[in-house]
Amino acid sequence: MSNVVTSRQLTRATRYRLNNGQHIPVAGFGVYLVPKEQAEDLVYEALVQGYRHIDSAVIYGNEEQSARGIERFIKDSNGKVTRGDIWFTTKIWNAEQGYEETKKAVQGIASRVKKHIGYVDLVLIHSPKTSKEKRLGTWKALQEFVLDPANDVLQINTIGVSNFGAKHIDEILNWDGLVVPPAVDQLELHPWLPQVELREYLASHNILAEAYSPLTQGIKLQDPELLELEQKYRVPKAEILLKWSYLQGFIVLVKTVKKERIKENLSVLPDVKAPADALDDTSHSGKIDLDINILEALNKPDSHEVLTWGHVDPTQYEG
């Protein structure tokens, strides 16, 4: 898989088609480590700035506050934005994996978000750090919710995984009860952890890669090579890293507790308005690009440096 794609047609409104026909916004705002008391306002601000994709998780402890931010923004838009315009993701934590445990976990998710946003667009298994029996039990439960959208607990439109390697995805794909395959694998992805072989595997199974920590949690922002590229090409280092991820074709999740950074992170993508004529597909095209020399410098296909606290390396875990 080549890492040297120098330009791509993308805007803030771009959505990628998943293997179930759903369309997920390419730019996501994540609420990992966002304090509960700030989550509603930060999600609201992200939506004001143009994000239409919010990524949460049971273990983050701020699902309900994030859903409230969505609810408030939709209400304040006076009909300009509907629930269908906004994508909401959450995740099943390790301790809640297993068939019965996951059904209870979904009931918990419903109790926190259903009254605010009605349904959930995507539920992920947060990591493979349990047993095969529990992982497949969780998939069985989630699959049942997807197959019965009118169930009386919670409508779930799409399911996927997070931090899963090929071995664990194969468990699902080779399970004799499989009806709904994973649509997304959410992974730590950046130039120092490109996970090229895993991405090739995902592409071969029509599973989209979703990148968390594209800015490496700040750990690599003082990397001498990155600082040199920033100075030489006069491109901010955060912009370099975000564009690198977008140019790989990832769904990209960025988090921050600073409102000014919400706008700055999204500004990497062009804000191109939809045309007045719905049949005109030329006036709303946008493009992001990076100098090929920057991309070549960041082309580290053999790198496996794990940087993020709590990272699950899907190439190593054998549970």
Side-chain angles (χ1 to χ4, degrees), residues 56-63 90-93 96 105 108-109 112 126:
S56 183
V58 169
I59 197 65
Y60 299 171
N62 53 23
E63 280 178 310
T90 190
K91 310 174 190 77
I92 302 294
W93 183 237
E96 297 177 306
I109 293 168
R112 292 184 290 274
H126 207 139

Side-chain angles (χ1 to χ4, degrees), residues 257-274:
V257 295
K258 298 179 179 179
K259 289 188 176 181
E260 64 273 16
R261 289 294 299 156
I262 293 174
K263 183 176 182 179
E264 291 173 12
N265 289 336
L266 192 60
S267 69
V268 168
L269 295 174
D271 182 16
V272 182
K273 303 299 183 183

Side-chain angles (χ1 to χ4, degrees), residues 83-97:
R83 172 64 183 90
D85 295 323
I86 300 173
W87 185 278
F88 181 78
T89 297
T90 190
K91 310 174 190 77
I92 302 294
W93 183 237
N94 303 340
E96 297 177 306
Q97 289 190 42

